[in-house]
Amino acid sequence: MTAAAMVAEFDDVAGWTADAVRQLGDRYAIPAACRGSASPTALAWLAEACELSAGMRLLDVGAGVGGPAAWAAERFGVSPILLEPMPAACRAAARLFGLPVVLADGRRIPLRTASIDVAWCLGVLCTVEDKAGLLSEIHRVLVPGGSLGLLVVVAQGKQLLRPPDGNHFPGQDELDALLGNVGFDVVEQIDRPAEVPRSWSRRAEEVAAMVEARHRAHRAYALAARQGRRLAGLFDGGHLSMQLIHATRQGRRG
Ligand SMILES: C[S@@+](CC[C@H](N)C(=O)[O-])C[C@H]1O[C@@H](n2cnc3c(N)ncnc32)[C@H](O)[C@@H]1O
């Protein structure tokens, strides 16, 4: 994952987002730090599906700026660990939420085997070519029977015109086969609920507007914005859909 546009989107914009939140206030942190993928409705579905409860070790792989994990800690009292390969995103998550953040690639997770109760991986699979490698590592660190919550952008057809740089959207059959081959049982899958409370989207939009006002002249801003436009165009054309999946690691809980 080295495309300059992806570094712009996931690293530069992550740092700028944390700066804007610092200025606007803590209430803005979680909506702004759910980087376009999750909403409170989607997170609530994943949290209930995975039966989150206080004290559980939740690993968020590709955590970005940390909004989803911070939301889960605040609402359910879980103990999150964030894993993210982009340095500025790691710093932003640590600054905004003070949660433990590991700077690492999800294909090489520096954690012990079967040391995690629940894993989330939200909006990440489509940015990784080696999806089996990423899912195998998550499988390794999860306890047997442990839950995996996924948010996946799924391709509806074979050929996508002008996908955002560095993205490889799986088809539904490919995704099903991947999960099964790696050793996950899919429990349930739904379309991501579209509804987002206005209070949430308004805060996310205010942060995005401040980032734009401050950085629109920067090349990284233009690259990240182009990624966003391409993605939105594919959704609008019905070529992509966003899916929430609850799967479990095969095997019995010890
Ligand atoms: C669309 S963002 C989603 C961020 C976060 N999960 C959220 O929902 O707010 C995708 C994230 O996946 C991360 N990512 C990309 N390749 C990765 C890899 N090989 N291992 C772990 N994370 C990766 C990116 O750096 C980026 O932060």
Side-chain angles (χ1 to χ4, degrees), residues 1 6 9-11 14 30 32-38 43 60-69 83-86 89 104-109 120-130 134 151 167 231:
M1 205 229 12
M6 296 182 87
E9 190 181 6
F10 299 140
D11 211 39
I30 290 180
C34 288
R35 304 276 302 132
S37 50
L43 293 174
D60 191 358
V61 178
V65 189
L83 183 138
E84 168 58 45
M86 292 286 172
D105 191 300
R107 291 165 301 175
R108 288 176 295 281
I109 301 177
W120 279 3
C121 188
L122 311 181
V124 182
L125 270 187
C126 63
T127 67
V128 178
E129 240 181 311
D130 180 14
L134 180 77
L151 184 149
N167 281 256
L231 196 61

Side-chain angles (χ1 to χ4, degrees), residues 17-33 96-97 203 206-207 210:
T17 298
D19 292 340
V21 167
R22 275 293 146 125
Q23 178 130 357
L24 289 167
D26 290 346
R27 284 187 317 110
Y28 289 76
I30 290 180
L96 290 180
F97 304 113
R203 281 175 283 164
E206 274 186 59
V207 172
M210 182 174 279

Side-chain angles (χ1 to χ4, degrees), residues 86-164:
M86 292 286 172
C90 289
R91 288 193 297 275
R95 268 172 73 196
L96 290 180
F97 304 113
L99 293 170
V101 185
V102 181
L103 174 65
D105 191 300
R107 291 165 301 175
R108 288 176 295 281
I109 301 177
L111 295 174
R112 284 199 318 277
T113 298
S115 61
I116 292 298
D117 301 307
V118 176
W120 279 3
C121 188
L122 311 181
V124 182
L125 270 187
C126 63
T127 67
V128 178
E129 240 181 311
D130 180 14
K131 298 178 195 348
L134 180 77
L135 288 168
S136 299
E137 266 298 83
I138 296 175
H139 182 274
R140 181 184 68 76
V141 299
L142 262 182
V143 293
S147 281
L148 168 64
L150 289 172
L151 184 149
V152 188
V153 180
V154 175
Q156 300 302 303
K158 286 217 175 328
Q159 276 278 311
L160 287 184
L161 218 54
R162 294 174 71 75

